[in-house]
Amino acid sequence: MLKVVHLSTTPLVGAPGNLCRALNDHGQVQARWVCLRSDVGLYQQMPFATDLCWQRQREEALHAIEQADVLHLHNFIDLDSADFQPVDFRRRWQQGQPMVRQFHSQPALVAQGTGRTVAQVHACPIPKLVIPQYPERHFATARLVPNMVYVPPRPPAAAPAGAPRALACIGYAPSRFNSAHSSRWDTKGYPETVTVLRRLARAARARGLHVEIDLIEQVGHAECLRRKAGCDLFIDDLVTGSYHLNTLEALAQGVPCATYLDARTAEVVRQVTGGHDLPVVNVGLEHAATVLLELCARPERLQALGVAGRAWMDRHWTGVHAAQTLGDIYRSVAAHPGRPFAQRFDEDDTGERWHVREQHDALWQARRAGWPRPVPPWLLGAKTAAGRVARALHLR
């Protein structure tokens, strides 16, 4: 049985660990995950479980790397990465060590995080993998690998006690807090989405509906999952045209999820699932208040959507499928180290580039006119701080 070691510089919201679990549970390979730092950046406030932490378990991690048949490098790790010294990735590559490199971000962000140029990111010779979300449209030769999620069962609804339960609880758990106007991809549209959700709550009250908004901010992954399971509707990314792990986690817990999928993202999901559409409430930020208000007025509809979403995940987005996909890739790479994967689209073809990427960028630009205006940074900071204080004092 092949031994595979995943390496990442950050927890990547637990994605490498979920892939390792799928591989180990379904007998494809023996998989371990070495994470350089588990508490860097946003992960200080939002911790995720990891396997081997390089800073604390270096000797065990080095032993696993030495025993590996295939190295699975994630996002910011390339042949010249020095974070895991004395591991020399370029020397191992030249000696024929089978490797793959998986991208979770668009090339400009990877270049920024590694000190490379975008051209150097694309020129990396390691066979490429990519998640079937927004990054895939930037990596023409990368194989699609589904992101996996593992969530606890949704607890049964508690019997009403004290104050009446909200007719609908809408959850939102962004991992970024910058404006939707600040970036094409590296945003979740936090201030604009919060503005729209508050408008929705006011409109619901005007119709005699009680809608509660749960802003799940800077908490550990386990706590985020617990609160997500208590929602009747969840919000992922209403701005970019892609879904994220939040969508998959919500659906897996039987919670309907609203996110905006552009035509390219929807097509790639169908490629991964054999023609099955991701069952989200597909709505952009500019129309979200109207659409979601109609959903909140029909709680039985929300419940039906949640049941259907969980059933879809059980049928079409499973650990077995992910393990089989990766197992086939590892066996191919082990037999032919360094051989690139087949090209999925022609980056040099003007028409194909328009269909894959440019038309969706143009639509995104046009959609921005219907979004709330950007909030000045000083005002956003003051509002965020006030909101946290209010929630701590149970005033909100």
Side-chain angles (χ1 to χ4, degrees):
M1 183 178 292
L2 288 175
K3 295 181 179 179
V4 177
V5 173
H6 291 239
L7 293 106
S8 66
T9 56
T10 74
L12 289 170
V13 294
N18 289 338
L19 291 177
C20 287
R21 176 172 173 177
L23 289 162
N24 291 325
D25 283 354
H26 300 290
Q28 292 291 321
V29 302
Q30 294 179 11
R32 299 298 304 269
W33 171 29
V34 179
C35 181
L36 180 67
R37 288 192 58 182
S38 60
D39 60 351
V40 63
L42 63 89
Y43 297 107
Q44 294 178 356
Q45 288 77 39
M46 296 184 286
F48 284 77
T50 56
D51 180 9
L52 296 172
C53 178
W54 178 257
Q55 291 187 320
R56 297 191 301 271
Q57 299 162 289
R58 183 168 306 191
E59 292 305 314
E60 186 177 356
L62 280 170
H63 178 74
I65 292 168
E66 289 301 321
Q67 297 297 312
D69 298 300
V70 179
L71 296 181
H72 186 140
L73 313 183
H74 287 268
N75 228 31
F76 298 121
I77 305 174
D78 61 19
L79 293 178
D80 295 314
S81 297
D83 289 322
F84 293 90
Q85 290 182 339
V87 180
D88 185 333
F89 296 109
R90 183 167 293 278
R91 178 181 60 81
R92 288 170 173 269
W93 171 261
Q94 292 169 344
Q95 293 174 346
Q97 169 82 67
M99 298 182 189
V100 293
R101 183 181 182 188
Q102 180 170 347
F103 292 96
H104 302 254
S105 307
Q106 49 96 0
L109 184 63
V110 175
Q112 178 184 340
T114 56
R116 316 287 189 244
T117 65
V118 170
Q120 287 172 323
V121 172
H122 283 296
C124 178
I126 304 172
K128 297 174 178 63
L129 310 178
V130 69
I131 56 176
Q133 294 160 222
Y134 69 94
E136 70 77 27
R137 66 191 70 189
H138 300 278
F139 296 100
T141 63
R143 286 279 299 272
L144 298 171
V145 177
N147 254 331
M148 285 307 304
V149 295
Y150 288 93
V151 299
R154 188 178 189 182
R165 183 181 180 278
L167 177 64
C169 176
I170 302 177
Y172 179 50
S175 56
R176 294 177 177 270
F177 301 93
N178 54 320
S179 168
H181 297 275
S182 66
S183 174
R184 171 65 180 98
W185 291 116
D186 303 319
T187 179
K188 302 294 176 64
Y190 170 78
E192 293 81 10
T193 302
V194 170
T195 296
V196 167
L197 290 177
R198 287 175 176 159
R199 288 177 184 170
L200 168 62
R202 290 194 296 269
R205 286 195 296 271
R207 288 180 53 171
L209 305 173
H210 183 47
V211 172
E212 177 182 289
I213 308 298
D214 186 9
L215 297 181
I216 308 171
E217 300 177 1
Q218 300 189 29
V219 301
H221 188 224
E223 171 67 6
C224 181
L225 287 175
R226 185 190 68 78
R227 287 168 64 177
K228 191 176 297 182
C231 295
D232 300 292
L233 175 64
F234 200 77
I235 308 298
D236 188 3
D237 177 353
L238 303 178
V239 299
T240 68
S242 182
Y243 65 99
H244 305 274
L245 283 177
N246 261 327
T247 290
L248 301 176
E249 289 178 346
L251 295 178
Q253 292 192 100
V255 179
C257 186
T259 194
Y260 174 64
L261 306 181
D262 65 25
R264 175 64 186 182
T265 300
E267 168 59 26
V268 169
V269 170
R270 287 191 290 270
Q271 291 177 22
V272 170
T273 62
H276 301 280
D277 291 317
L278 189 65
V280 298
V281 179
N282 192 0
V283 63
L285 183 67
E286 59 274 25
H287 299 131
T290 300
V291 172
L292 300 183
L293 182 58
E294 291 306 309
L295 278 176
C296 292
R298 296 278 302 276
E300 73 280 4
R301 183 179 290 167
L302 286 174
Q303 184 177 16
L305 290 174
V307 170
R310 173 57 191 265
W312 187 94
M313 290 290 289
D314 289 341
R315 287 194 300 267
H316 305 301
W317 205 276
T318 67
V320 172
H321 174 238
Q324 290 174 343
T325 299
L326 278 171
D328 291 343
I329 288 170
Y330 294 144
R331 285 185 285 272
S332 174
V333 169
H336 307 285
R339 177 187 292 180
F341 297 123
Q343 184 170 285
R344 292 182 297 112
F345 56 88
D346 186 355
E347 181 68 34
D348 296 324
D349 184 282
T350 300
E352 193 161 6
R353 193 168 60 247
W354 167 259
H355 286 299
V356 169
R357 187 168 65 248
E358 293 173 347
Q359 67 170 320
H360 310 298
D361 292 344
L363 177 59
W364 170 84
Q365 187 67 39
R367 292 175 52 232
R368 293 175 64 189
W371 300 348
R373 296 285 298 275
V375 179
W378 66 268
L379 181 57
L380 176 61
K383 286 185 173 182
T384 301
R388 287 173 183 159
V389 170
R391 286 189 290 278
L393 296 175
H394 306 289
L395 299 177
R396 180 182 296 176

